Amino acid sequence: QKEVEQNSGPLSVPEGAIASLNCTYSDRGSQSFFWYRQYSGKSPELIMFIYSNGDKEDGRFTAQLNKASQYVSLLIRDSQPSDSATYLCAVKSNSGYALNFGKGTSLLVTP
Amino acid sequence: EAGVAQSPRYKIIEKRQSVAFWCNPISGHATLYWYQQILGQGPKLLIQFQNNGVVDDSQLPKDRFSAERLKGVDSTLKIQPAKLEDSAVYLCASSLGGGTSNHEQFFGPGTRLTVL
């Protein structure tokens, strides 16, 4: 069973702080990594994807990947109350077709 | 550009009844996915179509679930008979490509199924 693990939270951070969301995966053949945001009662929407070791930045979001440690993270700088949502980590192997999702981490940004 | 459309948005049925969900993907998207999302969990892929062919249905409970994508556009997912544990949100997604490509998957609003 290929596992994607996330701390369910809730993770609570004050407005303006950095939120750090973490994800580990079990399949060493995994090649593509995605972060989705899901507001309560809504469908997931893609925030970022990363394929290579290191950091990838997009606005206030930074994805970090360490394949040796089988670890991917998402940093949200200058967190806003509108960032309050569940963040889903999804992993895809080169040999497979499906996205394998974690259970998600609930983030709460307090004013 | 219109997004992924799904209907109905909500459905309440009794156990052992049957139910069907409909999905219309984004125009031009070859790949269509059906996911099941149980409350508090991430989406789980049930079936993936590339045009009108099935490329992955390894997690589809085939004794009660069926899906089709006639003409490679719209798709229907059916449950017959439904069980209590089928209560979930059923999400349809589509992407330009599929297989081992990494085209973004766009999700529809989902159908919330409650089985009593």
Side-chain angles (χ1 to χ4, degrees):
Chain A
Q1 180 71 19
K2 299 173 182 177
E3 299 288 341
V4 177
E5 299 287 344
Q6 295 181 258
N7 188 322
S8 60
L11 173 65
S12 183
V13 300
E15 184 175 357
I18 296 175
S20 178
L21 304 161
N22 305 314
C23 172
T24 59
Y25 58 94
S26 62
D27 181 11
R28 285 198 171 273
S30 300
Q31 295 294 327
S32 308
F33 307 87
F34 303 81
W35 283 100
Y36 281 80
R37 177 176 61 199
Q38 187 172 29
Y39 292 111
S40 181
K42 302 294 185 182
S43 55
E45 55 181 338
L46 183 66
I47 299 175
M48 291 189 69
F49 57 86
I50 186 168
Y51 309 141
S52 304
N53 275 330
D55 295 359
K56 179 181 179 182
E57 188 174 317
D58 184 0
R60 295 187 297 113
F61 299 95
T62 299
Q64 299 175 317
L65 175 61
N66 184 325
K67 289 185 179 180
S69 300
Q70 297 176 241
Y71 176 92
V72 58
S73 65
L74 179 70
L75 301 179
I76 307 175
R77 290 182 299 281
D78 188 23
S79 295
Q80 301 297 309
S82 59
D83 294 326
S84 298
T86 295
Y87 289 80
L88 298 163
C89 173
V91 174
K92 186 175 182 181
S93 73
N94 254 6
S95 61
Y97 302 110
L99 277 181
N100 192 10
F101 283 87
K103 293 185 177 182
T105 297
S106 175
L107 173 66
L108 177 63
V109 181
T110 55
Chain B
E1 178 182 83
V4 176
Q6 290 188 248
S7 68
R9 293 294 312 277
Y10 305 91
K11 190 73 177 179
I12 300 174
I13 61 172
E14 307 241 334
K15 61 183 179 183
R16 292 187 289 274
Q17 286 187 321
S18 62
V19 65
F21 313 127
W22 173 84
C23 174
N24 180 243
I26 293 172
S27 178
H29 280 196
T31 307
L32 185 147
Y33 314 78
W34 282 103
Y35 288 89
Q36 179 193 59
Q37 187 173 23
I38 293 172
L39 187 65
Q41 298 186 20
K44 181 182 83 170
L45 181 74
L46 293 175
I47 189 167
Q48 177 180 342
F49 293 95
Q50 181 86 12
N51 296 307
N52 60 351
V54 176
V55 295
D56 186 353
D57 63 355
S58 56
Q59 298 191 92
L60 185 74
K62 298 179 185 64
D63 58 335
R64 298 184 301 107
F65 287 65
S66 64
E68 60 182 8
R69 190 184 185 197
L70 299 176
K71 302 180 181 178
V73 182
D74 294 4
S75 177
T76 56
L77 176 70
K78 297 179 182 178
I79 307 175
Q80 182 178 7
K83 293 185 175 181
L84 297 177
E85 59 261 35
D86 298 332
S87 294
V89 175
Y90 290 84
L91 294 163
C92 178
S94 70
S95 64
L96 268 176
T100 56
S101 73
N102 288 304
H103 291 112
E104 178 179 353
Q105 294 184 26
F106 294 86
F107 284 83
T111 297
R112 183 177 298 276
L113 174 67
T114 301
V115 182
L116 303 176

